Amino acid sequence: MSKIQMKTPLVEMDGDEMTRVIWQQVKDILILPYVDLKTEYYDLGLKKREETKDQITLDSAEATKKYGVAVKCATITPNAARMDEYNLTQMWKSPNGTIRAALDGTVFRAPILVKGVTPYIPTWTKPITIARHAYGDVYKNTEMVVEKGSKAELLVTKPDGSQETALIHEFKGDGIIQGLHNLDQSISSFARACFNFGLDTKQDVWFSTKDTISKKYDHRFKDIFAEIYENEYKDKFEAAGIEYFYTLIDDAVARVIRSNGGYIWACKNYDGDVMSDMIATAYGSLAMMTSVLVSPDGVYEFEAAHGTVQRHYYKHLKGEETSTNSVATLFAWTGALRKRGELDGLSELMSFADKLEKAIIDTIESGIMTGDLYLISTLENKKKVNTTEFLEAVAETLNKSLNS
Ligand code: NAP
Ligand code: MG
């Protein structure tokens, strides 16, 4: 069988630890035998980030803007322990943070449902997609430790040179302060990305903030969403038979738990970070979640939502067997290949992505799965396999479907 041809390269961002091991195996076992893969490769492994003083991360973000589609492996965000482990000269920023800041946009995360894995919330029969705003707030903050007796104020110098100040606090004891910002333009594109995704997938859009407490900051988000919805989307939503509604984050959390799923929950940056972990875990596993960053100018970065699975990596280094779930990494690849196919008009590449995803689901539903799913699956004939065996089993399923 001849390999599927590509036109434009994917931006390939390699990463760290167990996911780096999986990355190579996914390519060797499930991509390279079928696709004449074209990528522009960026090694975002921590060693390379240190060597390049993190320039490699900025370069990979620029390449993503240039080509339009990237696929990213999980990467280490350095903390104090990593400083020693990797002999770092600086605690480099989270690559995801850097890339999101460069591309702006919204991260959509949706669980991958399989037979045999019942969500912890059994009423969730349909997926809940989290749309996480990927710009600003606490991820681009300025913080200070403040000494007792200090007075902290917000100071804004306007274009005409005049100044506006507001008291934050007069400190009678030691304390801390934090400055946050966001941009109308970024919030607007977040809103449009969510409404478009709702129309594309025919799902309701929910949006929640804490506007009762944050009467200017969070309220601005609420107002921008409302205005864009009224002016640009209301008619389209009504025609599609879907709904947009806004509610307080507390109320949203309560409604989500009682719901059946099947909608998009738009969240501010921090809320989306936290809630997507909660949603992923409740649906069964962090490794059964797709994640894509969509920028306002139509640039896509596909990734796994989980980390580098450090504990498994140390077992792997000791020569012990691992049973690490590669599904999220695989879906990052299929998402990126399908989008590349769509943009370049390559139907064969798109259909390969569909078939590979189906082979992954079919393999798990036939009872072959990694340890994380084995623990929670209710299938009677389930069998736990190791990291590589799972990928080989998917290849077998895929080959059968390609030959039939
Ligand atoms: P993690 O890598 O997501 O793993 C946490 C635990 O979740 C694992 O120990 C494992 O549980 C389970 N798990 C996660 N992914 C799994 C998979 N694919 N298959 C099976 N089990 C899986 O989070 P972490 O250990 O907190 O973070 C490790 C590193 O990842 C950190 O350096 C962090 O900075 C980085 N990180 C990167 C990203 C990203 O690049 N997107 C996101 C988050 C964290 P058991 O050990 O119980 O099996
Ligand atoms: Mg998180």
Side-chain angles (χ1 to χ4, degrees):
M1 204 182 69
S2 64
K3 290 190 189 179
I4 299 164
Q5 295 299 308
M6 292 178 65
K7 277 189 198 152
T8 317
L10 282 177
V11 177
E12 176 184 354
M13 303 168 174
D14 207 343
D16 289 297
E17 299 195 314
M18 199 61 207
T19 41
R20 190 184 179 93
V21 175
I22 288 177
W23 194 258
Q24 192 58 51
Q25 293 192 1
V26 162
K27 280 167 59 182
D28 288 344
I29 300 172
L30 285 165
I31 313 279
L32 293 172
Y34 309 94
V35 180
D36 195 2
L37 185 67
K38 274 205 180 107
T39 73
E40 191 163 295
Y41 179 84
Y42 291 86
D43 183 359
L44 302 194
L46 188 48
K47 190 161 165 275
K48 194 70 178 187
R49 279 183 272 150
E50 168 66 28
E51 274 169 35
T52 62
K53 304 281 171 247
D54 210 25
Q55 185 60 39
I56 188 93
T57 309
L58 298 170
D59 292 348
S60 73
E62 284 310 309
T64 306
K65 286 189 200 166
K66 177 176 163 194
Y67 291 112
V69 186
V71 55
K72 181 182 171 293
C73 179
T75 46
I76 292 169
T77 300
N79 56 14
R82 303 295 197 169
M83 295 289 289
D84 295 337
E85 186 183 353
Y86 285 83
N87 246 317
L88 302 182
T89 54
Q90 254 192 63
M91 206 182 280
W92 304 111
K93 286 187 185 159
S94 151
N96 294 319
T98 303
I99 293 164
R100 278 170 208 155
L103 302 182
D104 196 342
T106 305
V107 179
F108 292 93
R109 290 192 167 165
I112 302 159
L113 306 190
V114 288
K115 228 188 310 161
V117 177
T118 315
Y120 286 94
I121 312 288
T123 51
W124 288 358
T125 50
K126 289 174 274 183
I128 296 170
T129 302
I130 296 259
R132 172 183 171 189
H133 186 209
Y135 179 84
D137 301 351
V138 75
Y139 303 86
K140 262 215 167 286
N141 69 352
T142 308
E143 304 183 324
M144 275 188 219
V145 173
V146 180
E147 204 178 303
K148 171 183 175 182
S150 309
K151 175 179 168 184
E153 288 169 291
L154 276 181
L155 165 71
V156 176
T157 307
K158 300 185 185 177
D160 67 2
S162 67
Q163 295 188 320
E164 188 179 338
T165 58
L167 176 70
I168 297 173
H169 194 68
E170 298 203 31
F171 284 84
K172 300 205 168 59
D174 293 347
I176 40 182
I177 58 167
Q178 186 179 58
L180 308 181
H181 82 277
N182 222 301
L183 303 171
D184 287 1
Q185 199 190 4
S186 177
I187 301 166
S188 303
S189 54
F190 169 40
R192 290 195 179 92
C194 295
F195 294 139
N196 288 337
F197 204 77
L199 285 171
D200 279 354
T201 58
K202 292 247 181 309
Q203 297 185 91
D204 291 348
V205 175
W206 302 13
F207 181 44
S208 56
T209 73
K210 193 70 181 174
D211 67 291
T212 48
I213 299 297
S214 172
K215 292 193 193 317
K216 292 208 171 114
Y217 197 103
D218 278 19
H219 216 285
R220 185 74 156 202
F221 279 81
K222 177 182 174 179
D223 289 345
I224 288 176
F225 265 70
E227 198 188 309
I228 290 180
Y229 178 71
E230 282 300 320
N231 294 338
E232 301 171 28
Y233 290 92
K234 194 166 187 270
D235 296 344
K236 293 180 200 159
F237 267 51
E238 282 171 4
I242 55 174
E243 237 182 55
Y244 165 64
F245 91 97
Y246 174 86
T247 186
L248 256 193
I249 179 95
D250 325 35
D251 180 50
V253 167
R255 284 174 189 256
V256 163
I257 297 297
R258 291 194 305 262
S259 77
N260 296 319
Y263 50 86
I264 296 156
W265 182 12
C267 292
K268 287 178 61 202
N269 208 345
Y270 174 81
D271 297 340
D273 184 354
V274 176
M275 291 305 165
S276 62
D277 279 9
M278 188 271 287
I279 297 274
T281 307
Y283 272 101
S285 167
L286 266 182
M288 298 296 284
M289 189 95 175
T290 62
S291 180
V292 56
L293 172 69
V294 183
S295 92
D297 32 344
V299 167
Y300 294 78
E301 184 237 327
F302 294 83
E303 56 169 15
H306 58 77
T308 59
V309 214
Q310 183 181 16
R311 204 181 62 83
H312 295 210
Y313 181 59
Y314 288 156
K315 278 177 73 180
H316 170 80
L317 286 182
K318 282 192 267 173
E320 291 171 29
E321 184 165 85
T322 58
S323 183
T324 313
N325 190 331
S326 49
V327 172
T329 301
L330 281 163
F331 270 71
W333 275 98
T334 52
L337 290 171
R338 183 187 296 106
K339 183 51 79 177
R340 198 64 271 168
E342 189 187 313
L343 296 175
D344 290 347
L346 302 171
S347 58
E348 235 194 323
L349 194 59
M350 292 168 72
S351 123
F352 172 74
D354 294 343
K355 285 177 187 153
L356 177 49
E357 284 180 4
K358 186 168 185 304
I360 297 161
I361 306 281
D362 286 351
T363 302
I364 297 170
E365 294 188 342
S366 81
I368 300 172
M369 60 194 79
T370 46
D372 56 325
L373 296 183
Y374 183 82
L375 282 176
I376 54 177
S377 172
T378 54
L379 293 184
E380 275 175 13
N381 60 335
K382 63 183 175 179
K383 181 177 165 220
K384 177 179 162 180
V385 293
N386 70 32
T387 308
T388 316
E389 283 166 352
F390 178 74
L391 293 167
E392 286 165 352
V394 173
E396 203 176 306
T397 314
L398 178 64
N399 291 339
K400 270 185 216 148
S401 92
L402 292 176
N403 293 333
S404 70

